Amino acid sequence: MGSSKLVGIVLLVVGIALLYFGFQSTQSVGDQISETLTGRFTDNTMWYLIGGAAAIAAGGFLSFFKK
């Protein structure tokens, strides 16, 4: 297994973990109140969700498309 595939798999796992924690954060009482009052989630929650999606995209590319 090449090093780029290994890095891709690690990024996939980290991305899934970040999305999980981001989703859990969206369900918290504080985030629900913030979303109700402002129409958006807190900055920390958004960074978890964006970072998780980016890590999954990069990991998928490195794991499946890069040789």
Side-chain angles (χ1 to χ4, degrees):
M1 181 183 311
S3 63
S4 66
K5 284 193 181 266
L6 185 61
V7 171
I9 291 170
V10 169
L11 279 173
L12 281 171
V13 171
V14 169
I16 290 169
L18 284 174
L19 281 179
Y20 173 77
F21 289 124
F23 179 74
Q24 291 297 319
S25 181
T26 63
Q27 304 302 312
S28 70
V29 174
D31 237 333
Q32 290 290 323
I33 292 171
S34 174
E35 198 262 335
T36 300
L37 295 176
T38 64
R40 61 188 203 129
F41 294 113
T42 61
D43 290 340
N44 287 340
T45 300
M46 291 304 297
W47 280 115
Y48 278 126
L49 296 173
I50 292 168
I56 287 176
F61 176 76
L62 287 175
S63 295
F64 301 115
F65 297 115
K66 184 108 177 180
K67 289 189 178 187

